[in-house]
Amino acid sequence: YADRSHFQHFTLPKQSDKTPRALSRESFEKIRDVEIPAYRKSHILARDMFLFGCYTGVCYADVVSITRENLCTDEDGALWLKYRRKKNELRASVKLLPEAIVLIEKYHSEERDTLFPLLRWSNLRRHMKALAALAGIKDDLCYHQARHSFASLITLEAGVPIETISRMLGHSDISTTQVYARVSPKKLFEDMDKFIEATQDFKLTL
């Protein structure tokens, strides 16, 4: 038993919210369209894996382990990616965009089960910095930005409900998804325009 309160004048530091690291539309397009010399095969692979993450929300630990068995086709013929996340074993389901399917077909090989060749994390991190320089963007590029970009730029900005995004990302709590999926100014203006159009016939009665 202490004879005095040792922590009487101690206060916990305020938690600072980290800014979501989703790419801007301009930066995303620069990375997507950057021309990489053909001899830099590992750089091309890093860029394509990053783009796949942007189009699907798949993190690095999962993108290097998902296989053809994780692909399935629904009744309408659409291709889906369904897998359990390495981080929490929760199930994630994503309907694949045409851009993601093109990347899968590009790296298809009967010699391995995984959808993409193995690119080790240390090499990927190094290539991400080189990719930012090649694309001429100032972002401190890392692979996890792909997941943020999928939530904000690819899906939420296109009108996908946040509940659906949460399921696609394999989150257990929608509050986690809210950190990833942030409303951009473009999305805000578009939603306000829709609201104004929908309410233009309303009349105020006093």
Side-chain angles (χ1 to χ4, degrees):
Y1 293 93
D3 57 358
R4 62 189 178 88
S5 177
H6 292 278
F7 299 96
Q8 182 177 359
H9 302 292
F10 179 82
T11 57
L12 292 172
K14 293 183 179 180
Q15 183 177 0
S16 58
D17 294 331
K18 294 182 179 179
T19 303
R21 295 181 293 179
L23 293 175
S24 65
R25 175 68 62 177
E26 180 183 5
S27 295
F28 170 75
E29 291 177 350
K30 284 183 177 180
I31 293 174
R32 182 195 63 192
D33 300 333
V34 64
E35 294 185 6
I36 304 175
Y39 67 87
R40 291 190 170 185
K41 294 182 179 180
S42 58
H43 288 80
I44 295 174
L45 174 59
R47 190 271 308 274
D48 289 346
M49 288 174 63
F50 180 79
L51 289 178
F52 187 78
C54 290
Y55 292 131
T56 62
V58 180
C59 67
Y60 169 79
D62 297 319
V63 78
V64 295
S65 61
I66 51 177
T67 68
R68 290 187 294 272
E69 293 182 356
N70 295 114
L71 300 175
C72 61
T73 306
D74 62 18
E75 296 177 354
D76 297 324
L79 190 62
W80 286 73
L81 176 64
K82 298 184 178 182
Y83 63 99
R84 291 198 177 276
R85 296 188 60 203
K86 295 285 186 181
K87 183 178 181 179
N88 54 20
E89 290 297 322
L90 292 177
R91 189 172 183 83
S93 300
V94 185
K95 185 177 181 179
L96 293 177
L97 296 171
E99 295 87 347
I101 297 175
V102 169
L103 291 172
I104 291 175
E105 293 175 346
K106 178 179 179 179
Y107 290 96
H108 174 76
S109 175
E110 296 294 340
E111 297 180 357
R112 66 174 190 277
D113 293 329
T114 56
L115 297 183
F116 292 92
L118 176 62
L119 182 59
R120 298 194 179 280
W121 176 244
S122 57
N123 294 332
L124 180 64
R125 289 181 60 186
R126 185 172 67 254
H127 292 337
M128 286 289 98
K129 294 183 178 180
L131 183 58
L134 289 170
I137 63 175
K138 297 180 180 179
D139 301 66
D140 187 14
L141 195 63
C142 68
Y143 189 86
H144 199 61
Q145 283 178 277
R147 202 162 155 82
H148 283 270
S149 300
F150 170 77
S152 298
L153 189 66
I154 304 300
T155 54
L156 187 66
E157 195 170 289
V160 179
I162 195 168
E163 294 83 4
T164 303
I165 299 173
S166 185
R167 289 289 300 274
M168 290 191 288
L169 289 175
H171 285 159
S172 59
D173 191 340
I174 198 170
S175 62
T176 304
T177 312
Q178 290 171 341
V179 176
Y180 285 74
R182 293 296 182 94
V183 177
S184 65
K186 177 177 179 292
K187 172 66 173 171
L188 178 61
F189 291 140
E190 289 177 350
D191 287 347
M192 284 304 300
D193 289 341
K194 291 178 182 178
F195 173 74
I196 293 172
E197 182 179 357
T199 58
Q200 62 183 354
D201 295 330
F202 286 10
K203 294 182 179 180
L204 179 63
T205 303
L206 298 178

